[in-house]
Amino acid sequence: NGNVITFVTQAPWSTFPQDVLAGNLSLIGSTAAQQANPTRFNEYPVGAGPFVVKKFVAGSSVVLTRNPNYWDTSGVHLDSITYKFLTDNQTRLQSLASGDIDVMVSSDITQVGQAKSMGLQTQVNVGNGPVAIYLNTAQPVVKDRAVRVALAQAIDSAAISKVVYQGLSPVATGYLAPGSPAAKDSASPAYDQAAAKTAIDAYGKKISITLTTTAAFVKAAQLVQQMWQAVGVDAKIQQVDSAQSTELVFVKKNYEA
């Protein structure tokens, strides 16, 4: 009926629904602009969105202004938007309180209470997709399916939701949030610590795995580390910044989890 798009991938892509429907599909840029000046395109990309880049200062800020060629100009209600790159959560919160910025986004749920105590307006969004752990099956430690299943069974998502996210984040049952029209439950193994330990013991080899994470998710990662250790897995945490995470996971693919 004209409303169906079929995607054919070149290789298995288990996270496709999350990457495309729940995550940031990212800029669909102008091929001509990219080919004309690839270096400039990285700083001043040309796309089809409601705003265009007016000024970009690496590591500091980016200023966007209305795109006069946008297909729905009547739906654009702002003349400009300035994004400031404030990597520290507390710095962002103090900047919001002082009026230096108008809006901030944080994945640290504890800041909801802090913001309310400072008289600031808050809104909690569940999001379109889950906080997930990606296992790099190119690494020997997680090539065995039984090990991957055991690692999943060892994780008590309800406990993580309660401890880290103060119960405000529901336990995910699939790649997409329950409110999404494309949502459906996945076949992810349910929490079963005893079964996980039995499977790890049956594997018969020492399992050492490094969980790479950023500051935003380190609290959840620490709980996962404890849960994996409880079933006999030697789990370590490698904390990196967002840029390093992108390079390690998506560019170099040099990670285990």
Side-chain angles (χ1 to χ4, degrees), residues 48-50 66-77:
R66 281 174 180 251
N67 180 358
N69 300 313
Y70 186 57
W71 68 276
D72 182 21
T73 53
S74 63
V76 184
H77 304 293

Side-chain angles (χ1 to χ4, degrees), residues 39 47 55 61 65 95 115 151 187 203 206 250:
T39 301
K55 183 179 180 182
S61 63
T65 56
S95 296
L151 291 174
Y203 182 66
K206 181 180 179 180
F250 299 107

Side-chain angles (χ1 to χ4, degrees), residues 33-70:
Q34 293 180 62
Q35 293 175 344
N37 194 332
T39 301
R40 178 175 173 77
F41 186 86
N42 289 335
E43 297 182 357
Y44 293 89
V46 178
F51 295 93
V52 295
V53 178
K54 178 182 180 181
K55 183 179 180 182
F56 172 75
V57 181
S60 176
S61 63
V62 59
V63 179
L64 308 180
T65 56
R66 281 174 180 251
N67 180 358
N69 300 313
Y70 186 57

